[in-house]
Amino acid sequence: MKLPSRKTLLGNALSLIAIAWIYGGDLYDAVRARGAEVSAFIALPSLERPAGVLVVATLALLAFGVGLVQGKEEGFKGYRLLPIVLVGALFLDLVLSESRTPLTSTDMASMAIQRFHQLAQERTSALEVPDDPRMLQPMLEELGRPPYLVRGEQLGSYALQVRKDCDGPVREAPGVRPGTLLYCVAPERLGAWITLVGLPAEERFGSPAIVSVGGEARFLLVRPIPPDDAEPGTAFRDSLAPPSSPAVDMDAGAPRAGP
């Protein structure tokens, strides 16, 4: 039996591995996102696109196998199909990617925390932070939809939970649904920490947890700012910021951000 050249065999093998890795992974994500308790996806991944690519790739593999069994020579067109399927699928992905946001769920969750912090800070007096849910709840309308799926379904809006007499940000929130902002107010309304229930940045599927990066909860501190003071510092560590770990202390009854 005459075999095609090593170059042809290697090209088909690499194409098959790439297709299985890329589109098999996409199909796995699409299937799992439909049943996972929480998924770190802004929208439900397509099931049809990766499945279609894998079906076409299977047909191309069958054509390649027929060529080998029948001892076809190097010029047999069936030996070219797998690389063509790979290139065509990647080109289609490139075209479709122009309409997709490059932001991850963690990026968008961080933006929601920042926006809510900004709105809450604007409603803070020189002596105390707001803690009335009736004042805070309307601010959720400016945040859009949470960037997480629950059992394959998009969440319609953010939720808010106000807690009082806190000594730091909420780091665990069992039983709280994804997309819930936790607004944790310090005694005497001297500050408030904002966290969000979603998933850690390192996880794409799982149970609801505080949004975190590298095990560190992402949070922002709202605090009273006297008129003659500078802009409030942030206790929020962005993924692009230096790796110094923020801490929040209670000094003379007032929360402050420190090294």
Side-chain angles (χ1 to χ4, degrees):
M1 182 175 66
K2 187 175 181 180
L3 295 176
S5 65
R6 289 184 179 180
K7 181 179 178 180
T8 298
L9 291 174
L10 180 61
N12 278 271
L14 293 177
S15 297
L16 182 60
I17 292 172
I19 291 171
W21 177 57
I22 297 172
Y23 297 99
D26 286 351
L27 183 62
Y28 172 81
D29 286 348
V31 171
R32 190 170 180 186
R34 282 159 170 78
E37 186 174 1
V38 185
S39 305
F41 290 98
I42 299 168
L44 191 64
S46 170
L47 189 65
E48 294 77 11
R49 182 181 56 83
V53 172
L54 291 174
V55 168
V56 174
T58 301
L59 296 176
L61 180 61
L62 289 175
F64 179 82
V66 169
L68 288 180
V69 171
Q70 295 181 355
K72 299 291 185 179
E73 297 185 358
E74 183 69 23
F76 177 58
K77 294 182 179 179
Y79 296 152
R80 307 173 190 173
L81 293 180
L82 279 172
I84 291 174
V85 171
L86 175 60
V87 173
L90 292 177
F91 176 76
L92 182 61
D93 282 349
L94 180 62
V95 172
L96 295 177
S97 67
E98 295 181 358
S99 60
R100 300 172 188 162
T101 175
L103 300 176
T104 65
S105 292
T106 302
D107 294 333
M108 297 190 71
S110 300
M111 292 170 62
I113 296 173
Q114 289 176 319
R115 180 57 179 159
F116 190 84
H117 170 267
Q118 178 186 5
L119 295 171
Q121 194 68 58
E122 291 173 355
R123 291 159 176 77
T124 298
S125 71
L127 299 177
E128 57 190 15
V129 300
D131 69 345
D132 188 347
R134 292 173 298 179
M135 177 186 294
L136 299 169
Q137 188 74 31
M139 299 190 300
L140 300 179
E141 298 177 2
E142 298 194 27
L143 305 183
R145 288 185 173 183
Y148 298 99
L149 303 177
V150 176
R151 304 294 183 188
E153 298 291 334
Q154 281 188 319
L155 295 167
S157 62
Y158 284 89
L160 176 67
Q161 187 179 109
V162 178
R163 300 185 180 185
K164 299 184 179 181
D165 296 325
C166 301
D167 58 4
V170 178
R171 301 185 185 277
E172 294 184 1
V176 180
R177 82 162 178 87
T180 300
L181 284 158
L182 301 175
Y183 186 83
C184 207
V185 185
E188 300 182 19
R189 297 169 60 182
L190 295 174
W193 293 268
I194 304 170
T195 51
L196 176 66
V197 179
L199 283 176
E202 296 78 16
E203 298 180 13
R204 288 185 299 165
F205 307 97
S207 300
I210 297 296
V211 175
S212 62
V213 177
E216 293 290 333
R218 313 211 80 177
F219 66 92
L220 278 172
L221 172 64
V222 180
R223 61 187 179 90
I225 301 297
D228 56 345
D229 279 10
E231 289 296 317
T234 177
F236 178 76
R237 181 156 64 89
D238 188 80
S239 57
L240 299 179
S244 58
S245 177
V248 177
D249 301 324
M250 299 296 292
D251 185 8
R256 63 180 181 85

Short mmCIF file of all heavy atoms in Angstrom, two decimals, residues 84-111:
data_model
loop_
_atom_site.label_atom_id
_atom_site.label_comp_id
_atom_site.label_asym_id
_atom_site.label_seq_id
_atom_site.Cartn_x
_atom_site.Cartn_y
_atom_site.Cartn_z
N ILE A 84 -8.11 22.08 5.12
CA ILE A 84 -9.07 23.05 4.61
C ILE A 84 -10.17 23.32 5.64
O ILE A 84 -10.58 24.48 5.86
CB ILE A 84 -9.68 22.56 3.28
CG1 ILE A 84 -8.62 22.59 2.18
CG2 ILE A 84 -10.87 23.41 2.88
CD1 ILE A 84 -9.08 21.98 0.86
N VAL A 85 -10.66 22.26 6.29
CA VAL A 85 -11.69 22.44 7.32
C VAL A 85 -11.16 23.31 8.46
O VAL A 85 -11.85 24.22 8.94
CB VAL A 85 -12.15 21.07 7.86
CG1 VAL A 85 -13.06 21.25 9.08
CG2 VAL A 85 -12.87 20.29 6.77
N LEU A 86 -9.94 23.06 8.89
CA LEU A 86 -9.35 23.84 9.98
C LEU A 86 -9.22 25.31 9.61
O LEU A 86 -9.65 26.20 10.36
CB LEU A 86 -7.98 23.27 10.36
CG LEU A 86 -7.20 24.06 11.41
CD1 LEU A 86 -7.97 24.13 12.72
CD2 LEU A 86 -5.81 23.45 11.62
N VAL A 87 -8.66 25.58 8.45
CA VAL A 87 -8.47 26.97 8.01
C VAL A 87 -9.82 27.67 7.83
O VAL A 87 -10.00 28.82 8.23
CB VAL A 87 -7.64 27.02 6.71
CG1 VAL A 87 -7.61 28.43 6.16
CG2 VAL A 87 -6.22 26.51 6.97
N GLY A 88 -10.77 26.97 7.21
CA GLY A 88 -12.09 27.57 6.99
C GLY A 88 -12.80 27.88 8.30
O GLY A 88 -13.42 28.94 8.45
N ALA A 89 -12.71 26.97 9.27
CA ALA A 89 -13.37 27.19 10.56
C ALA A 89 -12.73 28.35 11.31
O ALA A 89 -13.42 29.17 11.93
CB ALA A 89 -13.31 25.92 11.40
N LEU A 90 -11.40 28.42 11.27
CA LEU A 90 -10.70 29.52 11.95
C LEU A 90 -11.02 30.86 11.29
O LEU A 90 -11.16 31.88 11.97
CB LEU A 90 -9.19 29.27 11.94
CG LEU A 90 -8.70 28.10 12.81
CD1 LEU A 90 -7.20 27.92 12.64
CD2 LEU A 90 -9.06 28.34 14.28
N PHE A 91 -11.14 30.86 9.97
CA PHE A 91 -11.50 32.11 9.27
C PHE A 91 -12.90 32.55 9.67
O PHE A 91 -13.15 33.75 9.90
CB PHE A 91 -11.42 31.89 7.76
CG PHE A 91 -11.86 33.10 6.97
CD1 PHE A 91 -11.03 34.20 6.83
CD2 PHE A 91 -13.12 33.13 6.37
CE1 PHE A 91 -11.44 35.32 6.11
CE2 PHE A 91 -13.53 34.24 5.65
CZ PHE A 91 -12.69 35.33 5.51
N LEU A 92 -13.83 31.61 9.77
CA LEU A 92 -15.19 31.95 10.18
C LEU A 92 -15.20 32.50 11.60
O LEU A 92 -15.91 33.46 11.90
CB LEU A 92 -16.09 30.71 10.08
CG LEU A 92 -17.56 30.91 10.45
CD1 LEU A 92 -18.21 31.94 9.54
CD2 LEU A 92 -18.31 29.58 10.39
N ASP A 93 -14.40 31.90 12.48
CA ASP A 93 -14.29 32.41 13.85
C ASP A 93 -13.77 33.83 13.87
O ASP A 93 -14.22 34.67 14.65
CB ASP A 93 -13.36 31.51 14.67
CG ASP A 93 -14.04 30.24 15.12
OD1 ASP A 93 -15.27 30.14 14.98
OD2 ASP A 93 -13.34 29.33 15.61
N LEU A 94 -12.79 34.10 13.01
CA LEU A 94 -12.21 35.44 12.94
C LEU A 94 -13.26 36.46 12.50
O LEU A 94 -13.34 37.57 13.05
CB LEU A 94 -11.03 35.45 11.97
CG LEU A 94 -10.30 36.79 11.80
CD1 LEU A 94 -9.69 37.25 13.12
CD2 LEU A 94 -9.22 36.67 10.73
N VAL A 95 -14.07 36.10 11.53
CA VAL A 95 -15.12 37.01 11.06
C VAL A 95 -16.15 37.25 12.16
O VAL A 95 -16.56 38.39 12.42
CB VAL A 95 -15.80 36.43 9.80
CG1 VAL A 95 -17.01 37.28 9.42
CG2 VAL A 95 -14.81 36.38 8.65
N LEU A 96 -16.57 36.18 12.84
CA LEU A 96 -17.59 36.31 13.87
C LEU A 96 -17.07 37.02 15.11
O LEU A 96 -17.85 37.62 15.86
CB LEU A 96 -18.13 34.93 14.26
CG LEU A 96 -18.88 34.17 13.16
CD1 LEU A 96 -19.29 32.80 13.65
CD2 LEU A 96 -20.11 34.96 12.71
N SER A 97 -15.76 36.96 15.34
CA SER A 97 -15.20 37.56 16.55
C SER A 97 -15.31 39.07 16.56
O SER A 97 -15.21 39.71 17.61
CB SER A 97 -13.72 37.16 16.71
OG SER A 97 -12.93 37.73 15.67
N GLU A 98 -15.52 39.69 15.39
CA GLU A 98 -15.64 41.14 15.32
C GLU A 98 -16.88 41.64 16.07
O GLU A 98 -16.92 42.79 16.51
CB GLU A 98 -15.70 41.59 13.86
CG GLU A 98 -14.42 41.31 13.08
CD GLU A 98 -14.49 41.79 11.65
OE1 GLU A 98 -15.57 42.31 11.26
OE2 GLU A 98 -13.50 41.67 10.91
N SER A 99 -17.89 40.79 16.21
CA SER A 99 -19.11 41.19 16.89
C SER A 99 -19.12 40.78 18.36
O SER A 99 -20.11 41.01 19.07
CB SER A 99 -20.33 40.58 16.20
OG SER A 99 -20.25 39.16 16.21
N ARG A 100 -18.03 40.18 18.85
CA ARG A 100 -17.98 39.73 20.23
C ARG A 100 -17.17 40.69 21.08
O ARG A 100 -16.24 41.31 20.62
CB ARG A 100 -17.35 38.33 20.31
CG ARG A 100 -18.11 37.27 19.54
CD ARG A 100 -17.32 35.98 19.52
NE ARG A 100 -17.91 34.99 18.64
CZ ARG A 100 -17.27 33.92 18.17
NH1 ARG A 100 -16.00 33.72 18.52
NH2 ARG A 100 -17.87 33.06 17.38
N THR A 101 -17.53 40.79 22.34
CA THR A 101 -16.76 41.61 23.25
C THR A 101 -15.52 40.86 23.71
O THR A 101 -15.58 39.67 24.00
CB THR A 101 -17.61 42.00 24.48
OG1 THR A 101 -16.78 42.70 25.41
CG2 THR A 101 -18.19 40.77 25.16
N PRO A 102 -14.36 41.55 23.77
CA PRO A 102 -13.15 40.87 24.22
C PRO A 102 -13.06 40.75 25.73
O PRO A 102 -12.11 40.16 26.25
CB PRO A 102 -12.03 41.79 23.68
CG PRO A 102 -12.66 43.15 23.68
CD PRO A 102 -14.12 42.92 23.34
N LEU A 103 -14.02 41.30 26.46
CA LEU A 103 -13.98 41.29 27.92
C LEU A 103 -14.45 39.95 28.47
O LEU A 103 -15.37 39.33 27.95
CB LEU A 103 -14.85 42.41 28.47
CG LEU A 103 -14.48 43.84 28.07
CD1 LEU A 103 -15.50 44.83 28.62
CD2 LEU A 103 -13.08 44.19 28.55
N THR A 104 -13.81 39.52 29.54
CA THR A 104 -14.23 38.30 30.23
C THR A 104 -15.32 38.63 31.24
O THR A 104 -15.61 39.80 31.53
CB THR A 104 -13.05 37.66 30.95
OG1 THR A 104 -12.61 38.55 32.00
CG2 THR A 104 -11.88 37.42 29.99
N SER A 105 -15.92 37.59 31.81
CA SER A 105 -16.92 37.80 32.84
C SER A 105 -16.33 38.53 34.04
O SER A 105 -16.98 39.40 34.64
CB SER A 105 -17.51 36.46 33.28
OG SER A 105 -18.28 35.88 32.24
N THR A 106 -15.08 38.20 34.40
CA THR A 106 -14.44 38.88 35.53
C THR A 106 -14.22 40.35 35.23
O THR A 106 -14.40 41.21 36.10
CB THR A 106 -13.11 38.20 35.87
OG1 THR A 106 -13.34 36.82 36.17
CG2 THR A 106 -12.44 38.85 37.07
N ASP A 107 -13.82 40.67 33.99
CA ASP A 107 -13.65 42.08 33.60
C ASP A 107 -14.96 42.85 33.75
O ASP A 107 -14.98 43.96 34.30
CB ASP A 107 -13.17 42.18 32.15
CG ASP A 107 -11.78 41.62 31.94
OD1 ASP A 107 -10.99 41.63 32.91
OD2 ASP A 107 -11.49 41.15 30.83
N MET A 108 -16.04 42.26 33.27
CA MET A 108 -17.32 42.96 33.31
C MET A 108 -17.86 43.04 34.73
O MET A 108 -18.50 44.04 35.11
CB MET A 108 -18.31 42.26 32.39
CG MET A 108 -17.89 42.28 30.93
SD MET A 108 -19.18 41.72 29.80
CE MET A 108 -20.34 43.09 29.89
N ALA A 109 -17.61 42.02 35.53
CA ALA A 109 -18.01 42.07 36.94
C ALA A 109 -17.24 43.18 37.66
O ALA A 109 -17.81 43.92 38.48
CB ALA A 109 -17.75 40.72 37.61
N SER A 110 -15.97 43.33 37.35
CA SER A 110 -15.15 44.39 37.96
C SER A 110 -15.68 45.76 37.57
O SER A 110 -15.73 46.68 38.39
CB SER A 110 -13.69 44.24 37.52
OG SER A 110 -13.17 42.99 37.91
N MET A 111 -16.08 45.90 36.31
CA MET A 111 -16.63 47.17 35.85
C MET A 111 -17.94 47.49 36.57
O MET A 111 -18.22 48.66 36.89
CB MET A 111 -16.84 47.12 34.34
CG MET A 111 -15.55 47.06 33.54
SD MET A 111 -15.82 46.72 31.78
CE MET A 111 -16.78 48.16 31.31
#
